[in-house]
Amino acid sequence: DPCRNFHCKRGKVCHADEQEKPSCICQDPAACPSTKDYEHVCGTDNKTYDGTCQLFGTKCQLEGTKMGRQLHLDYMGSCKYIPHCTDYEVDQFPLRMRDWLKNILMQYYERDLDTSGFLTEKQRSKVKKIYQNEKRLMAGDHPVELLLHDFEKNYQMYVYPVHWQFYQLDQHPGNRLLTHSELAPLRASLVPMEHCITRFFQECDGDKDKLISLKEWCHCFGIKR
């Protein structure tokens, strides 16, 4: 099979011509495998797609057009009403996000106690210090005042989780700059629960170059160094 080890980017599939020469062509959205309701996604055109295969196949077919350039994955799940993010809400967002990142690492650490593989050895040693800290705020739905107080009192606990998330996203390529595509996995999964995440990332890009540097990322989360 000439297509066996021939890779195409999202939205395209391999096709072999009569001479068995492989090339990438747009995925036919109608030929995408059927999906469950929970696999539906919402595009930036505010249309619900049956899955990412259908969304990126549609984007590929619109390649070269303004609509194609503007079409991206907005968030996971069917399209729904996303409320406007107020100035007050976007100011509070980093408090909840920092706490959430810290607790994600705590969950990974606990899982690693039974089955290793979630964190590297170096990551585990850093997270262990936070996990064993008696002053650590346990996971829960905490009021904004408590989250702010905890960040001021236990600042060092929040530095590593913020850095860790940046480097988890900074993969293609790893250059200390986050593109729209690199942010997409985090943003798309959180939009339905955290409607301020889109505005938060837009405002993180201080120089408006459509890239978020490590310095900009840390500044947004209140990390001083």
Side-chain angles (χ1 to χ4, degrees), residues 94-96 98-100 102-103 106 130 133-140 142-159 161 221-224:
L95 299 173
R96 296 193 303 277
R98 282 189 306 246
D99 189 55
W100 182 72
K102 182 194 68 183
N103 288 319
M106 296 305 100
I130 305 172
N133 195 318
E134 293 176 3
K135 295 177 182 176
R136 176 167 62 91
L137 191 63
M138 297 300 169
H142 303 298
V144 166
E145 294 76 19
L146 180 57
L147 292 175
L148 182 59
H149 175 75
D150 193 61
F151 177 62
E152 290 170 350
K153 294 286 285 184
N154 301 302
Y155 170 80
Q156 287 301 326
M157 276 192 213
Y158 293 93
V159 175
F221 283 103
I223 304 302
K224 302 178 188 71

Side-chain angles (χ1 to χ4, degrees), residues 4-22:
R4 180 177 293 174
N5 295 313
F6 194 81
H7 298 287
C8 297
K9 70 176 187 177
R10 294 180 85 170
K12 295 193 174 190
V13 290
C14 180
H15 171 74
D17 62 17
E18 292 176 357
Q19 284 77 43
E20 298 291 292
K21 185 180 178 182

Side-chain angles (χ1 to χ4, degrees), residues 34-51:
S34 59
T35 57
K36 308 287 187 202
D37 285 350
Y38 61 81
E39 293 174 297
H40 289 178
V41 296
C42 185
T44 45
D45 56 355
N46 204 35
K47 287 183 182 175
T48 297
Y49 293 84
D50 285 349

Side-chain angles (χ1 to χ4, degrees), residues 159-170 174-179 182-183 204-207 209 211-225:
V159 175
Y160 182 69
V162 170
H163 284 179
W164 168 81
Q165 181 63 88
F166 183 91
Y167 288 110
Q168 288 296 109
L169 296 170
D170 184 28
N175 58 358
R176 292 194 171 207
L177 293 169
L178 295 182
T179 63
E182 288 174 319
L183 282 169
C204 271
D205 182 16
D207 56 11
D209 63 351
L211 297 168
I212 296 179
S213 67
L214 177 60
K215 187 176 181 179
E216 287 174 326
W217 176 270
C218 289
H219 176 74
C220 281
F221 283 103
I223 304 302
K224 302 178 188 71
R225 54 184 180 79

